[in-house]
Amino acid sequence: MNQHEQAKTTESFEEVFPMAACTPTSTPTRSEKTAAIRTVLDEAASAINDFHARVLAAVIEAQAWKIHRDVDGYSGLRDWLCAKFDFHTRTAADIAAIARLSRKFQTLAAAATAGAARIDQVAFAVRQLDRTPAMRLFARTPFRVPVTSPFDVAVSCETPEHLIAQYCAHAPFKDLQRHLDELAAHLAEETELLETLGEQSLQWIELTEQGNGMWSLSGELADETGRLLDKYLKTACPPPRQDETDAEGVLPAKANRDAEALHQLLAGYGTSPEATTRHGHTATLDLAVDIETLQGKDTDRTPTLEGRPVSVAQARRLACEAGIIPSVFNYATGEAIELGRAARLPNTALRRKLELEQPQGCAWYGCHRPIAWTEAHHIQHWADGGETTAANLILLCRFHHGRIHTEGWMIEKTGPGQALITHHDHDTGTAAFEGATECGCEDWRTDADMDAENQDSDWDVFPTGLYRTEWPQTMKPDLDARAEAVSRERAHAALKKAKARCRERFATPTTKQQA
């Protein structure tokens, strides 16, 4: 700066702040000094605000004409002010923010250019309002009834932006910040509610029957629904622990556990008295069959489940399940036989007694499914006159409860919570439900013997529980593919385990210490 420019600047400063240029003729008192300094600072603050207002107005106009970009080659207003005119970075940033958002928040920009509100206050306000679409929209949305300014009863605020401009003009920065935070919190509450409703409208589930006895389940769930389901599945069936690995170090498949946990959720809800009902019934399936067919007699009549034909063996198995309501008829008379749910299923006290007798869970050899997943199986089928008593009931998991009804399997209760489960090469017919000792054949093997016989066929390669000879033809390709994938996983785990043993065996003392 040359001497002429410096002298001109000094003259301008003295014109604006005359107190700073005078030399005191006498020693002032403390109160006089305080008053003088305050006058200087008040005048300086007012002058600085006026200068900022003039600068802001010029910058808004420069932006409209794109002077900073087209003439001087600066893409941003802040950089233009700092580099071209040597503005302080913070001041330039505040002015640039207001100018950039002046079209969105015209009321606040007008308050700043008129000098009614400080630049930094208005800059903070427009930045906060521009953070979310909800805040931008809310700031310009008129009140249903105009709000009186808390600082001047003569001023009426038509929109939240007008009210915020009053805070910028009259309130300390902390009060302005608190007011904007309260607005943001109020809008966040409504936005979160709308987002939740939006998630609920977007969630979907599609359940499709595949035609091979399986169903496919796909969909998307809202955050709250997904977390509830995830928590239930983990509660009903905790994820596999490390101590549950098999000999090759492979953990049980969590996906299979989750599927069984989902069944327990549906079955348990369907039998709950608090469950939603339709025509007086909960979410259960209706099985229609006549008593002679259910007893295994050759009647040429077909049972139906929800109106669709099922096999007699399937009907006998379904009639044992808690989620099924059997409608049993006397075909000769056309009369419904009221066996009733209470007569067919154990009550709470009897169920508790069975669980105390069999705390280890499913009675099938090698099955580790918990007691909560078991169902009460009648040794002598209830359709054949079997009583719902502890002596005639044994707890089996859902899978093995179904398996005991398949050809060749028989079960005999040998004591409280204990059973002898055997397999026979011939068709056992109804004897399967009357105790293994009544068969009288010599080709029987226990469930443990059957597992040992089939150990070379990798029947337990993944949790089907069925021997390969039992795999349904329609599902054999899918089961083969799944078994091959699990076999590869086990081989990889075995190789990893072998490498670890080799490292341990051939490691030097130094490497062992490092490990």
Side-chain angles (χ1 to χ4, degrees):
M1 184 179 294
N2 55 41
Q3 294 181 350
H4 175 72
E5 291 175 340
Q6 187 174 3
K8 186 176 181 181
T9 302
T10 304
E11 291 174 2
S12 299
F13 185 78
E14 291 174 354
E15 291 176 1
V16 177
F17 309 120
M19 287 288 299
C22 7
T23 303
T25 56
S26 61
T27 304
T29 64
R30 188 181 185 87
S31 59
E32 291 174 341
K33 191 68 173 178
T34 300
I37 291 175
R38 284 180 173 175
T39 300
V40 171
L41 293 178
D42 284 340
E43 292 176 351
S46 178
I48 290 171
N49 285 339
D50 288 341
F51 279 131
H52 284 166
R54 290 168 54 191
V55 171
L56 176 61
V59 172
I60 292 175
E61 190 173 5
Q63 179 185 239
W65 286 86
K66 297 182 175 57
I67 293 175
H68 65 291
R69 187 188 68 184
D70 297 344
V71 178
D72 293 328
Y74 290 89
S75 59
L77 291 171
R78 187 197 64 177
D79 294 341
W80 178 58
L81 290 173
C82 291
K84 196 72 177 176
F85 304 101
D86 201 24
F87 272 85
H88 187 280
T89 304
R90 179 60 185 271
T91 303
D94 288 345
I95 292 173
I98 300 172
R100 180 174 56 85
L101 299 171
S102 59
R103 291 186 179 181
K104 293 181 181 179
F105 307 109
Q106 297 179 8
T107 301
L108 285 167
T113 53
R118 289 201 330 245
I119 291 295
D120 59 332
Q121 300 263 73
V122 176
F124 175 77
V126 296
R127 287 191 183 104
Q128 292 297 106
L129 293 176
D130 194 52
R131 288 176 62 183
T132 63
M135 289 287 282
R136 289 195 294 269
L137 179 62
F138 177 74
R140 299 192 297 267
T141 303
F143 292 121
R144 292 182 179 179
V145 179
V147 176
T148 302
S149 168
F151 309 99
D152 188 350
V153 293
V155 177
S156 181
C157 302
E158 297 180 357
T159 66
E161 185 183 355
H162 286 85
L163 183 58
I164 294 169
Q166 288 292 302
Y167 273 88
C168 289
H170 303 288
F173 178 77
K174 287 186 177 180
D175 290 349
L176 170 65
Q177 184 180 29
R178 178 177 51 80
H179 179 67
L180 288 170
D181 288 345
E182 289 174 353
L183 289 180
H186 172 71
L187 285 179
E189 181 180 355
E190 301 233 351
T191 303
E192 288 172 2
L193 178 60
L194 292 174
E195 287 176 352
T196 301
L197 295 176
E199 289 176 357
Q200 293 176 11
S201 65
L202 290 175
Q203 67 180 355
W204 60 276
I205 286 181
E206 189 171 56
L207 187 63
T208 308
E209 190 173 6
Q210 295 181 320
N212 62 349
M214 299 293 288
W215 291 71
S216 64
L217 177 65
S218 57
E220 288 182 300
L221 300 177
D223 181 67
E224 182 179 352
T225 307
R227 290 182 183 276
L228 284 172
L229 180 59
D230 179 65
K231 187 171 184 178
Y232 176 85
L233 295 179
K234 289 178 179 177
T235 303
C237 179
R241 303 186 307 271
Q242 198 60 39
D243 59 358
E244 296 182 68
T245 56
D246 58 18
E248 287 76 20
V250 178
L251 287 169
K254 182 179 180 298
N256 294 99
R257 287 193 170 196
D258 285 346
E260 182 60 28
L262 180 61
H263 174 86
Q264 298 298 327
L265 166 65
L266 298 175
Y269 178 77
T271 56
S272 170
E274 288 83 20
T276 304
T277 60
R278 181 174 180 269
H279 304 310
H281 295 290
T282 56
T284 52
L285 303 178
D286 291 315
L287 171 69
V289 61
D290 67 273
I291 187 64
E292 291 183 339
T293 302
L294 195 60
Q295 289 173 348
K297 297 179 181 179
D298 187 8
T299 63
D300 290 331
R301 293 188 289 271
T302 305
T304 61
L305 178 67
E306 293 289 295
R308 300 181 62 177
V310 295
S311 67
V312 175
Q314 181 84 330
R316 291 179 68 92
R317 181 183 68 82
L318 292 173
C320 286
E321 293 196 4
I324 307 295
I325 298 179
S327 303
V328 184
F329 297 88
N330 185 320
Y331 186 79
T333 62
E335 178 181 18
I337 302 174
E338 297 293 343
L339 295 177
R341 179 175 296 274
R344 183 170 61 95
L345 300 177
N347 58 24
T348 303
L350 180 53
R351 172 73 195 197
R352 177 63 175 163
K353 174 179 172 61
L354 294 172
E355 290 187 0
L356 289 173
E357 292 179 350
Q358 197 176 326
Q360 74 278 5
C362 179
W364 202 281
Y365 170 78
C367 181
H368 302 292
R369 289 178 175 87
I371 193 69
W373 290 18
T374 58
E375 301 171 345
H377 169 69
H378 289 72
I379 304 297
Q380 182 182 15
H381 200 285
W382 62 269
D384 298 324
E387 296 180 354
T388 305
T389 61
N392 193 48
L393 293 173
I394 194 72
L395 296 179
L396 297 171
C397 70
R398 185 169 65 96
F399 173 80
H400 287 120
H401 191 182
R403 193 178 193 186
I404 201 66
H405 284 273
T406 60
E407 183 178 342
W409 288 102
M410 302 171 70
I411 185 169
E412 176 186 8
K413 190 164 186 178
T414 58
Q418 299 177 351
L420 175 63
I421 301 172
T422 56
H423 186 273
H424 308 258
D425 292 337
H426 60 85
D427 184 5
T428 56
T430 58
F433 309 99
E434 297 173 356
T437 57
E438 298 186 14
C439 178
C441 65
E442 297 180 357
D443 62 353
W444 63 272
R445 284 93 76 208
T446 66
D447 46 358
D449 295 333
M450 291 295 292
D451 288 353
E453 281 185 18
N454 289 273
Q455 62 181 356
D456 294 334
S457 64
D458 291 333
W459 67 273
D460 61 342
V461 72
F462 68 101
T464 61
L466 294 174
Y467 307 134
R468 284 184 176 270
T469 55
E470 297 176 302
W471 286 5
Q473 290 299 316
T474 56
M475 300 180 64
K476 196 172 185 301
D478 295 331
L479 295 176
D480 275 328
R482 187 81 62 85
E484 184 178 351
V486 177
S487 294
R488 287 197 299 268
E489 184 180 353
R490 288 194 172 188
H492 177 73
L495 180 60
K496 186 177 179 181
K497 195 173 181 180
K499 287 181 177 179
R501 286 197 301 266
C502 287
R503 284 195 297 269
E504 177 66 22
R505 180 179 179 183
F506 297 107
T508 63
T510 304
T511 57
K512 284 184 178 181
Q513 186 176 2
Q514 291 174 351

